[in-house]
Amino acid sequence: MDLLTALRTHRIVAIVRGDDADAALRTVLTLAEEGLALIEVSLSGKDTFDVIRRARAALGPTAPLGAGTVLAAEDARAVHDAGADFVVTPAVCEGVTEAKRLRLPVLAGVMTPADIVAAQRLGADAYKIFPAEQAGGPGYLKALRGPFPDAPFVPVGGVDAELARSYLARGAVAVGVGSPLIGDAADGGSLDALRERTRVFLDAVRLPTDAGR
């Protein structure tokens, strides 16, 4: 898949992690039903590889499906085998190198300018500013865009709907959203509440030219 184009088009990545694999799968499918196209299943959840396999079977071969918290080379190989077609890492690590070897696009976790340069050298497709809230929020993104004006940044960590608007207004190509969007759905919580939150976030990241569609 063309990850960078997908990020620029959809502007939000949902991060699903939970202690109930069946609930996590239901969460992925509900997000997709509501029109949220970019979904990442984090390896920090329970039975993640099984969730990815089942999600891939349910969504079909062409729907974007990512795997997150990919650190080691064996993680990258395992999620590739399970059916993920993009990888998200929390840092510049072996997972980036192996995913690129497997021709999987990578959203690589970065915090500092040195991290960004290292991720560029490894061929990362985009850069996940993590944890964005602790790094300084939208102001930090603005500062990074000085030396890296064309870098595709995706802030992750503590992003609510209002912050999503702020990050995108300051040049982020997309935002990554976990608990403010997912809530307790991946642990068996209300899917109706998840649907409502999904609509709020999709409205928050909608381009002005999308209004009225």
Side-chain angles (χ1 to χ4, degrees):
M1 66 172 294
D2 183 342
L3 178 61
L4 186 52
T5 295
L7 290 169
R8 287 174 170 152
T9 299
H10 300 294
R11 294 166 49 101
I12 185 169
V13 181
I15 303 165
V16 177
R17 63 168 59 84
D19 293 327
D20 182 328
D22 290 335
L25 176 63
R26 289 193 295 269
T27 297
V28 170
L29 300 183
T30 299
L31 291 166
E33 288 168 5
E34 289 298 319
L36 202 155
L38 293 177
I39 303 169
E40 161 199 341
V41 181
S42 171
L43 296 192
S44 59
K46 185 176 181 181
D47 298 329
T48 305
F49 302 126
D50 182 56
V51 174
I52 294 171
R53 279 191 290 269
R54 293 163 67 193
R56 172 54 70 209
L59 295 172
T62 60
L65 182 61
T69 324
V70 174
L71 283 165
E74 54 264 33
D75 294 335
R77 291 191 290 270
V79 300
H80 177 263
D81 291 344
D85 54 11
F86 69 94
V87 159
V88 184
T89 74
V92 181
C93 56
E94 290 181 357
V96 177
T97 305
E98 184 65 9
K100 294 304 295 184
R101 189 189 71 80
L102 294 167
R103 298 185 179 180
L104 290 173
V106 178
L107 174 56
V110 299
M111 175 66 112
T112 67
D115 292 339
I116 297 165
V117 171
Q120 287 175 333
R121 288 173 176 166
L122 293 179
D125 298 81
Y127 311 105
K128 166 185 163 181
I129 303 174
F130 177 78
E133 184 178 28
Q134 287 75 13
Y140 187 61
L141 170 63
K142 181 180 178 181
L144 285 177
R145 285 179 56 78
F148 303 102
D150 300 319
F153 289 121
V154 181
V156 178
V159 180
D160 60 17
E162 192 57 39
L163 272 175
R165 293 186 183 96
S166 295
Y167 282 123
L168 293 168
R170 286 165 174 78
V173 296
V175 292
V177 186
S179 56
L181 167 61
I182 305 304
D184 61 355
D187 295 315
S190 169
L191 294 180
D192 287 338
L194 173 65
R195 291 182 189 278
E196 292 178 7
R197 291 190 298 271
T198 303
R199 292 164 191 161
V200 169
F201 271 94
L202 287 174
D203 183 66
V205 304
R206 185 173 291 119
L207 288 165
T209 53
D210 294 332
R213 289 187 184 179

